[in-house]
Amino acid sequence: EVQLVESGGGLVQPGGSLRLSCAASGFTFSSAWVHWVRQAPGKGLVWVSRINTDGKSTSYADSVKGRFTISRDNTKNTLYLQMNSLRAEDTAVYYCVRESWYYFDFWGQGTLVTVSS
Amino acid sequence: QSALTQPRSVSGSPGQSVTLSCTGTSTDVGGYNYVSWYQHHPGEAPKLMIYDVTKRPSGVPDRFAGSKSANTASLTISGLQAEDEADYYCCSYTGSNIGVFGTGTKVTVL
């Protein structure tokens, strides 16, 4: 059974940093492109970032470019999102998502990040 | 990349059909046959319902059907059931990334 389990969310002050993790199981993690998608309270889904299988190719939404860094450790079957210079508008549930040829076939349950003083 | 446009809400009685629209441009929805749809019950993980415009993953009822015309994709739910009440999001490939979502439609079963 495919599982994606996010962790690392919490309350952080504006300007602070947080690192999210996503533990993957039930499939060959090293063969999958994976993404982060977020949903702010009362808002819709928004794509944040993606990484290819070996971690050498990444992409970011304009709203997080230069502040967030996506990475992966295929030996640990884990995806990461390092979030720096956090802003109130980064407050959201962050989902770890597996891609399968231009669509998202499995989603984690999400982890809540709250940026507030 | 701007979000794809979806109606804020649609509603229908049990057994009826509803159609959700998802409007983009020639650089996303209209340019590729890579539109997907996701059902999201609040507090749960979103679920893939349709991919590649018309394909249904295993386990998704055939009451759910996808289509596309020009820059607008559609999701039709036939024989509406109480458990279909949820938020629905479309998503399209953009040529460089897969990740532009629609604004979301809340489906209410009356």
Coordinates of all heavy atoms in Angstrom, one line a residue, chain B residues 4 19-37 50-55 65-76 90-93:
Chain B
L4 N -6.6 27.9 -12.9 CA -7.7 27.6 -13.8 C -9.0 28.0 -13.1 O -9.2 28.0 -11.9 CB -7.7 26.1 -14.1 CG -6.4 25.5 -14.6 CD1 -6.5 24.0 -14.8 CD2 -6.0 26.2 -15.9
T19 N -22.5 19.0 -13.7 CA -21.3 19.1 -14.5 C -20.5 20.3 -14.0 O -21.0 21.4 -13.8 CB -21.6 19.3 -16.0 OG1 -22.2 18.2 -16.5 CG2 -20.3 19.6 -16.8
L20 N -19.2 20.0 -13.7 CA -18.3 21.1 -13.2 C -17.4 21.5 -14.4 O -16.8 20.6 -15.1 CB -17.4 20.5 -12.1 CG -18.0 20.2 -10.7 CD1 -19.2 19.3 -10.8 CD2 -17.0 19.7 -9.8
S21 N -17.1 22.7 -14.5 CA -16.3 23.2 -15.6 C -14.9 23.7 -15.1 O -14.8 24.0 -13.9 CB -16.9 24.4 -16.4 OG -17.2 25.5 -15.5
C22 N -13.9 23.7 -16.0 CA -12.6 24.1 -15.6 C -12.0 24.8 -16.8 O -11.7 24.1 -17.8 CB -11.8 22.8 -15.2 SG -10.0 23.1 -15.1
T23 N -11.9 26.1 -16.8 CA -11.4 26.9 -17.9 C -10.0 27.4 -17.8 O -9.7 28.0 -16.8 CB -12.4 28.0 -18.2 OG1 -13.7 27.5 -18.3 CG2 -12.0 28.8 -19.4
G24 N -9.2 27.1 -18.8 CA -7.9 27.6 -18.8 C -7.6 28.3 -20.1 O -8.4 29.1 -20.6
T25 N -6.4 28.0 -20.6 CA -6.0 28.7 -21.9 C -5.3 27.7 -22.8 O -5.2 26.5 -22.4 CB -4.9 29.8 -21.6 OG1 -3.7 29.1 -21.1 CG2 -5.4 30.8 -20.5
S26 N -4.9 28.1 -23.9 CA -4.2 27.2 -24.9 C -2.9 26.8 -24.4 O -2.3 25.8 -25.0 CB -4.1 27.9 -26.2 OG -3.3 29.1 -26.1
T27 N -2.3 27.4 -23.4 CA -1.0 26.9 -22.9 C -1.1 25.9 -21.7 O -0.1 25.4 -21.2 CB -0.2 28.2 -22.3 OG1 -0.9 28.8 -21.2 CG2 0.0 29.2 -23.4
D28 N -2.4 25.6 -21.3 CA -2.5 24.6 -20.3 C -3.6 23.6 -20.7 O -3.4 22.7 -21.5 CB -2.8 25.2 -18.9 CG -3.7 26.4 -18.9 OD1 -4.8 26.2 -19.3 OD2 -3.2 27.4 -18.5
V29 N -4.9 23.9 -20.3 CA -6.0 22.9 -20.6 C -6.1 22.7 -22.1 O -6.2 21.5 -22.6 CB -7.3 23.5 -20.1 CG1 -8.5 22.6 -20.5 CG2 -7.3 23.5 -18.6
G30 N -6.1 23.7 -22.9 CA -6.3 23.6 -24.4 C -5.1 23.0 -25.1 O -5.2 22.5 -26.2
G31 N -3.9 23.0 -24.5 CA -2.7 22.6 -25.2 C -2.3 21.2 -25.0 O -1.5 20.7 -25.7
Y32 N -2.9 20.5 -24.0 CA -2.4 19.1 -23.7 C -3.6 18.3 -23.2 O -4.6 18.8 -22.6 CB -1.4 19.2 -22.5 CG -0.2 20.1 -22.8 CD1 -0.3 21.4 -22.3 CD2 0.9 19.7 -23.5 CE1 0.8 22.3 -22.5 CE2 1.9 20.6 -23.7 CZ 1.8 21.9 -23.3 OH 2.9 22.7 -23.5
N33 N -3.6 17.0 -23.4 CA -4.6 16.1 -22.9 C -4.2 15.6 -21.5 O -4.2 14.3 -21.3 CB -4.9 15.0 -23.9 CG -5.7 15.5 -25.1 OD1 -6.5 16.4 -25.0 ND2 -5.3 15.0 -26.3
Y34 N -3.8 16.5 -20.6 CA -3.3 16.1 -19.3 C -4.0 16.9 -18.2 O -3.4 17.6 -17.4 CB -1.8 16.3 -19.2 CG -0.9 15.5 -20.1 CD1 0.0 16.0 -20.9 CD2 -1.1 14.1 -20.1 CE1 0.8 15.2 -21.7 CE2 -0.4 13.3 -20.9 CZ 0.6 13.9 -21.7 OH 1.4 13.1 -22.6
V35 N -5.4 16.7 -18.3 CA -6.2 17.3 -17.2 C -6.6 16.3 -16.2 O -7.0 15.2 -16.6 CB -7.4 18.0 -17.8 CG1 -8.3 18.5 -16.7 CG2 -7.1 19.1 -18.8
S36 N -6.5 16.6 -15.0 CA -6.9 15.6 -13.9 C -7.9 16.3 -13.0 O -7.9 17.5 -12.9 CB -5.7 15.1 -13.2 OG -4.8 16.1 -12.8
W37 N -8.6 15.5 -12.2 CA -9.6 16.0 -11.3 C -9.4 15.3 -10.0 O -9.1 14.1 -9.9 CB -11.0 15.7 -11.8 CG -11.4 16.5 -13.0 CD1 -11.2 16.2 -14.3 CD2 -12.1 17.8 -13.0 NE1 -11.7 17.2 -15.1 CE2 -12.3 18.2 -14.3 CE3 -12.6 18.6 -11.9 CZ2 -13.0 19.4 -14.6 CZ3 -13.3 19.8 -12.3 CH2 -13.5 20.2 -13.6
I50 N -10.1 11.6 -12.0 CA -9.9 11.5 -13.4 C -8.5 11.9 -13.8 O -8.0 12.9 -13.2 CB -10.9 12.4 -14.1 CG1 -12.4 12.0 -13.9 CG2 -10.6 12.5 -15.6 CD1 -12.8 10.7 -14.6
Y51 N -7.9 11.3 -14.8 CA -6.6 11.7 -15.3 C -6.6 11.6 -16.8 O -7.5 10.9 -17.4 CB -5.5 10.9 -14.7 CG -5.4 9.5 -15.0 CD1 -4.6 9.0 -16.0 CD2 -6.2 8.5 -14.4 CE1 -4.5 7.7 -16.4 CE2 -6.2 7.2 -14.7 CZ -5.3 6.8 -15.7 OH -5.3 5.4 -16.1
D52 N -5.7 12.3 -17.4 CA -5.6 12.3 -18.9 C -7.0 12.7 -19.5 O -7.4 12.0 -20.4 CB -5.1 11.0 -19.4 CG -3.6 10.7 -19.0 OD1 -3.0 11.6 -18.4 OD2 -3.2 9.6 -19.3
V53 N -7.6 13.6 -18.9 CA -9.0 14.2 -19.4 C -10.1 13.2 -19.1 O -11.2 13.7 -18.6 CB -8.9 14.6 -20.9 CG1 -10.3 15.1 -21.3 CG2 -7.9 15.6 -21.1
T54 N -10.0 12.0 -19.5 CA -11.2 11.1 -19.5 C -11.0 9.8 -18.7 O -11.9 9.0 -18.5 CB -11.5 10.7 -20.9 OG1 -10.4 10.0 -21.5 CG2 -11.9 11.9 -21.8
K55 N -9.8 9.5 -18.3 CA -9.5 8.1 -17.7 C -9.8 8.1 -16.2 O -9.5 9.1 -15.5 CB -8.0 7.8 -17.9 CG -7.7 7.6 -19.4 CD -6.2 7.4 -19.6 CE -5.9 7.3 -21.1 NZ -4.4 7.1 -21.3
A65 N -17.2 11.2 -15.0 CA -16.7 11.2 -16.3 C -16.1 12.5 -16.7 O -16.6 13.6 -16.3 CB -17.9 10.9 -17.3
G66 N -15.0 12.5 -17.4 CA -14.3 13.7 -17.8 C -14.3 13.9 -19.3 O -14.4 13.0 -20.0
S67 N -14.2 15.2 -19.6 CA -14.2 15.5 -21.1 C -13.5 16.9 -21.2 O -13.2 17.5 -20.2 CB -15.6 15.6 -21.6 OG -16.4 16.6 -21.0
K68 N -13.3 17.2 -22.5 CA -12.6 18.5 -22.8 C -13.1 19.0 -24.1 O -13.2 18.3 -25.1 CB -11.1 18.3 -22.7 CG -10.3 19.7 -22.7 CD -8.8 19.4 -22.8 CE -8.4 19.2 -24.3 NZ -6.9 19.3 -24.4
S69 N -13.2 20.3 -24.2 CA -13.5 21.0 -25.5 C -12.7 22.3 -25.5 O -12.9 23.2 -24.6 CB -15.0 21.3 -25.6 OG -15.2 22.0 -26.8
A70 N -11.8 22.4 -26.4 CA -10.9 23.6 -26.5 C -10.2 23.9 -25.1 O -9.5 23.0 -24.6 CB -11.7 24.8 -26.9
N71 N -10.4 25.1 -24.6 CA -9.7 25.4 -23.3 C -10.5 25.1 -22.0 O -10.1 25.5 -21.0 CB -9.4 26.9 -23.3 CG -8.4 27.3 -24.4 OD1 -7.7 26.4 -24.9 ND2 -8.5 28.5 -24.8
T72 N -11.6 24.3 -22.2 CA -12.4 24.0 -21.0 C -12.6 22.5 -20.8 O -13.0 21.8 -21.8 CB -13.8 24.7 -21.2 OG1 -13.7 26.1 -21.2 CG2 -14.7 24.3 -20.0
A73 N -12.2 22.1 -19.6 CA -12.4 20.7 -19.3 C -13.7 20.6 -18.4 O -14.1 21.6 -17.7 CB -11.2 20.1 -18.5
S74 N -14.3 19.4 -18.4 CA -15.5 19.2 -17.5 C -15.5 17.9 -16.8 O -14.9 16.9 -17.3 CB -16.7 19.3 -18.4 OG -16.9 20.5 -19.1
L75 N -16.1 17.9 -15.6 CA -16.3 16.7 -14.9 C -17.8 16.5 -14.6 O -18.4 17.5 -14.1 CB -15.6 16.8 -13.5 CG -15.8 15.6 -12.6 CD1 -15.1 14.3 -13.1 CD2 -15.3 15.9 -11.2
T76 N -18.3 15.4 -15.1 CA -19.7 15.2 -14.9 C -19.9 14.1 -13.9 O -19.3 13.0 -14.0 CB -20.4 14.8 -16.2 OG1 -20.3 15.9 -17.1 CG2 -21.9 14.5 -16.0
C90 N -9.7 20.8 -10.5 CA -9.0 20.3 -11.7 C -7.6 20.7 -11.7 O -7.2 21.6 -10.9 CB -9.7 20.9 -13.0 SG -9.7 22.7 -13.1
C91 N -6.8 20.1 -12.5 CA -5.4 20.4 -12.6 C -4.9 20.1 -14.0 O -5.3 19.2 -14.7 CB -4.6 19.5 -11.6 SG -2.8 19.9 -11.5
S92 N -4.0 21.0 -14.5 CA -3.5 20.8 -15.9 C -2.0 20.9 -16.0 O -1.3 21.6 -15.2 CB -4.1 21.8 -16.8 OG -3.6 21.7 -18.1
Y93 N -1.5 20.1 -16.9 CA -0.1 20.2 -17.3 C 0.1 21.6 -18.0 O -0.8 22.0 -18.7 CB 0.3 19.1 -18.2 CG 1.7 19.1 -18.7 CD1 2.8 18.9 -17.8 CD2 2.0 19.2 -20.0 CE1 4.1 18.9 -18.2 CE2 3.3 19.2 -20.5 CZ 4.4 19.1 -19.6 OH 5.7 19.0 -20.0

